[in-house]
Amino acid sequence: MADTKYIFVTGGVVSSLGKGIIAASVGKLLQARGYKVTIQKFDPYINVDPGTLNPYEHGECFVTVDGRETDLDLGHYERFLNIQTKKENNVTTGRIYQNVISKERRGDFLGKTVQVVPHITDEIKRNIKLLGLKNKFDFVITEIGGTVGDIESLPFIESVRQLRWELGKNCFCIHLTYIPYIAAAGEVKTKPTQHSVKELQSEGIQPDMLVLRTERKLSADVLRKVALFGNIDPSAVMQSVDVSTIYEVPVMMQKQGMDEVILRKMNMPVVGKPAMDGWNAFLQKRNDAKKEVHIKLVGKYVELPDAYKSITEALSQAAIYNDRKLVLEMCHSEKIDDENVAEVLGDADGIVIAPGFGSRGIEGKFVALKYAREHDIPSFGICLGMQCMVIEYVRDVLGLKTANSTEMDPQTEYKVIDLMEEQKHITNMGASMRLGAYDCVLKKGSLAFQSYGKTRVQERHRHRFELNNDYKERLDAAGMKSTGINPDSNLVEIVEVPELRWYLGTQFHPEYNSTVISPHPLFMSFMQAAAETKEIKTEKKTNE
Ligand code: GLN
């Protein structure tokens, strides 16, 4: 079997250009040619993982099946490639230093002075190559977080420089930059890109390919100029013009021959046509979907679309597969009260109650849920959203008005949501939640069972609190059924109210398992219910 090939993706000029999407697109195109591909991200910050970061700092925290809290780009990798990433797929500077310092304390360095070069760079290289061991993959794509020129990304760039020497033809570097359009001059400017390539060269790396992010289509002259100044083969300069969905990006790159250029330069056979049928069918469906479905997402990070990235992507995939155009509105849970709830949620075809931590905005979630329940609007509670469904039901239907989660009110008389037993003695905040995929057994005949079409599923978790089983029977008798149970710990993972159209909450995060090619069954079923609700409402209106 041939050696694993390594592709590196760096970024320049400014951040937020979409390196993750470019890395995922490269992966998609190589995978479509039959190669086995994985993608990893190296983040230059000192946190050991992003689990302790506030969403304002870092957007959503993505969770891998083996329980690592990671960067949201891993979500893109999974959604594009329909693969599952693991712990090794996201490494931070913090983790690299933690490993090196542990080795130093153990005495592994035998009295040597421990330095950035070679010890930190060796540890980075070891981690980069971990996924390539055992030749499981033909290609390992590594996205380097941050922007070239940042002090904190230097050790990563230096490691890539060293690997280029070690790997020779088995290494390929892609640099993503930005070409701004200056309205006053009426032209695009290549200078920032020229500087960024120079910066990368001065750090010892000659990129093999450039991807130019731009709002306007670039002329052949501009592309030639950039190739000339950057010492790059003109066929290896790609442009990434703004498109209506990130899922168009692989197709746009394919049209410019990105995969062929990479394969040729790496001495790999360029055979056959890439299998992009399923992907293109999805894009076609997206294009054809004209009928709208209105979903409201109730959460506290409304101004931050990245905070709920996997949920919004899962909703949009499910809408497209239901031949609907998703109109998603974020509703600030802190701003919902009894007075305005009808105005805020009245026209929703479906409501999602978001996950989260802490008590900010929690009362608004209860108000939204009561309204949704009383007006039979399809509702989907995720993690904290599911816990809110339970609390609201206990308060309103069982009449225990002060019921709460001990996360919000540790003294509450009715602890319907309580800290998990194994969490009670934990003091460290990092990586100490119930994380990763766990089994869940579904009750036959339930909405959950109908949606999945099977009795045993595996879903990913990220929480400390759980439904208190002391309330399970009473909830059941009052109409809220526990329909998904963890077979080992007996924890309730799914609740639903069968007498309503679609009212279901999951302790786990189904959104992490939804991809372009395999939309998630619960999101599909929820969206179908929302689309039907819309039809019923439209019919009612026309009959009035
Ligand atoms: N804060 C809740 C818990 O820890 C829910 C977490 C979440 O929504 N991810 O149990």
Side-chain angles (χ1 to χ4, degrees):
M1 198 176 169
D3 294 338
T4 302
K5 316 270 174 201
Y6 291 85
I7 298 178
F8 296 94
V9 182
T10 53
V13 182
V14 284
S15 57
S16 306
L17 289 179
K19 265 196 314 280
I21 304 300
I22 292 299
S25 300
V26 174
K28 179 75 210 167
L29 294 181
L30 293 172
Q31 188 194 50
R33 287 208 179 253
Y35 290 111
K36 283 201 243 52
V37 184
T38 192
I39 316 183
Q40 56 188 356
K41 171 134 195 224
F42 280 64
D43 279 308
Y45 52 75
I46 314 284
N47 303 61
V48 173
D49 62 46
T52 51
L53 288 175
N54 188 311
Y56 286 109
E57 294 283 316
H58 207 252
E60 168 190 277
C61 178
F62 190 79
V63 179
T64 58
V65 279
D66 58 350
R68 176 67 46 89
E69 293 167 290
T70 70
D71 184 78
L72 59 76
D73 272 329
L74 271 77
H76 289 309
Y77 308 160
E78 295 204 3
R79 287 187 285 274
F80 273 62
L81 270 65
N82 203 33
I83 55 167
Q84 286 188 333
T85 54
K86 296 271 175 62
K87 284 192 167 108
E88 299 79 29
N89 291 72
N90 192 198
V91 178
T92 68
T93 293
R95 188 168 297 279
I96 296 286
Y97 272 81
Q98 194 181 50
N99 292 349
V100 171
I101 291 169
S102 309
K103 285 181 189 167
E104 185 273 335
R105 294 288 83 184
R106 264 201 325 252
D108 290 7
F109 297 112
L110 305 174
K112 290 261 181 241
T113 307
V114 181
Q115 296 180 297
V116 173
V117 183
H119 302 102
I120 293 297
T121 48
D122 279 354
E123 182 63 18
I124 293 174
K125 288 195 291 180
R126 190 182 71 79
N127 277 272
I128 288 176
K129 290 198 280 192
L130 269 185
L131 285 169
L133 297 178
K134 298 189 203 133
N135 281 349
K136 259 193 350 217
F137 299 104
D138 300 310
F139 287 94
V140 173
I141 300 171
T142 306
E143 177 190 349
I144 307 289
T147 308
V148 166
D150 295 349
I151 292 175
E152 54 181 17
S153 60
L154 273 174
F156 291 103
I157 302 289
E158 168 59 17
S159 305
V160 175
R161 186 194 69 77
Q162 294 178 17
L163 278 174
R164 237 184 128 76
W165 276 100
E166 289 168 30
L167 296 166
K169 276 275 180 200
N170 288 337
C171 176
F172 190 90
C173 294
I174 302 175
H175 189 51
L176 171 68
T177 71
Y178 179 53
I179 303 277
Y181 173 76
I182 310 293
E187 53 185 41
V188 295
K189 292 290 182 190
T190 62
K191 195 74 84 193
T193 291
Q194 293 179 39
H195 282 299
S196 176
V197 173
K198 279 217 178 84
E199 179 78 41
L200 192 59
Q201 287 166 339
S202 76
E203 290 173 14
I205 296 176
Q206 167 61 49
D208 299 292
M209 174 176 275
L210 280 185
V211 180
L212 311 175
R213 183 75 198 272
T214 169
E215 278 127 55
R216 304 182 168 227
K217 196 168 173 349
L218 303 173
S219 68
D221 273 353
V222 172
L223 299 178
R224 253 195 311 272
K225 185 171 166 188
V226 173
L228 181 70
F229 280 107
N231 289 336
I232 292 169
D233 185 336
S235 70
V237 179
M238 312 278 136
Q239 54 177 315
S240 178
V241 190
D242 286 1
V243 274
S244 64
T245 165
I246 52 173
Y247 302 120
E248 294 274 4
V249 178
V251 180
M252 177 167 59
M253 293 299 122
Q254 189 185 24
K255 282 191 186 136
Q256 297 172 69
M258 176 187 253
D259 45 338
E260 289 187 32
V261 173
I262 296 174
L263 290 170
R264 242 183 280 117
K265 291 218 170 198
M266 298 188 91
N267 285 343
M268 298 283 275
V270 184
V271 281
K273 263 243 149 267
M276 293 284 282
D277 294 356
W279 192 271
N280 287 328
F282 170 80
L283 288 176
Q284 189 59 48
K285 252 184 169 322
R286 179 181 182 274
N287 222 11
D288 293 345
K290 299 283 182 275
K291 277 191 189 171
E292 293 182 343
V293 61
H294 288 234
I295 305 294
K296 310 251 179 166
L297 173 57
V298 179
K300 62 181 171 185
Y301 300 111
V302 285
E303 64 285 52
L304 258 190
D306 272 0
Y308 303 117
K309 193 81 205 161
S310 295
I311 295 180
T312 55
E313 291 305 311
L315 286 170
S316 120
Q317 290 152 2
I320 291 166
Y321 281 107
N322 273 287
D323 302 310
R324 291 294 185 281
K325 188 178 162 152
L326 175 68
V327 181
L328 182 65
E329 197 186 312
M330 312 290 259
C331 302
H332 204 314
S333 53
E334 270 184 300
K335 296 194 177 136
I336 301 179
D337 55 32
D338 291 327
E339 244 83 280
N340 65 15
V341 63
E343 201 185 312
V344 178
L345 298 177
D347 60 342
D349 304 321
I351 296 172
V352 178
I353 307 291
F357 296 84
S359 54
R360 183 165 72 89
I362 199 89
E363 292 302 323
K365 288 186 173 171
F366 299 140
V367 175
L369 281 165
K370 182 170 158 65
Y371 182 86
R373 205 164 45 75
E374 289 177 350
H375 293 80
D376 204 1
I377 304 173
S379 300
F380 195 172
I382 300 176
C383 205
L384 178 65
M386 170 267 200
Q387 297 175 355
C388 289
M389 277 182 159
V390 174
I391 297 167
E392 191 279 322
Y393 208 80
V394 170
R395 285 186 183 180
D396 205 58
V397 181
L398 294 183
L400 308 176
K401 299 287 176 214
T402 56
N404 214 333
S405 162
T406 48
E407 180 181 7
M408 316 307 159
D409 177 7
Q411 310 311 332
T412 178
E413 194 180 344
Y414 309 111
K415 300 174 169 36
V416 258
I417 305 291
D418 202 2
L419 204 56
M420 279 180 280
E421 205 44 50
E422 66 266 29
Q423 288 285 331
K424 290 193 175 150
H425 308 290
I426 288 177
T427 47
N428 238 350
M429 295 306 279
S432 59
M433 281 188 250
R434 180 178 181 229
L435 292 167
Y438 286 89
D439 278 348
C440 175
V441 173
L442 309 178
K443 203 173 188 171
K444 284 219 170 99
S446 65
L447 176 58
F449 171 78
Q450 281 164 25
S451 309
Y452 282 101
K454 53 183 172 187
T455 49
R456 205 182 181 95
V457 295
Q458 277 223 324
E459 294 283 2
R460 304 180 213 188
H461 295 252
R462 184 175 186 243
H463 62 115
R464 294 185 199 281
F465 294 81
E466 58 160 320
L467 192 154
N468 179 348
N469 274 336
D470 292 349
Y471 288 86
K472 206 168 120 192
E473 265 177 39
R474 267 188 281 174
L475 276 164
D476 196 272
M480 179 173 267
K481 313 283 180 190
S482 303
T483 58
I485 307 283
N486 178 291
D488 306 310
S489 58
N490 212 24
L491 293 179
V492 174
E493 313 281 33
I494 307 178
V495 293
E496 53 186 87
V497 178
E499 94 187 1
L500 296 173
R501 204 175 291 167
W502 207 102
Y503 199 85
L504 181 147
T506 60
Q507 184 57 78
F508 51 78
H509 291 261
E511 69 274 20
Y512 295 144
N513 272 345
S514 191
T515 72
V516 169
I517 295 298
S518 310
H520 194 281
L522 285 178
F523 279 91
M524 285 294 282
S525 154
F526 167 68
M527 199 54 77
Q528 192 185 344
E532 281 164 15
T533 305
K534 173 99 184 162
E535 299 285 323
I536 296 168
K537 278 200 281 189
T538 326
E539 238 168 70
K540 247 196 207 158
K541 260 195 200 145
T542 26
N543 291 342
E544 268 167 20

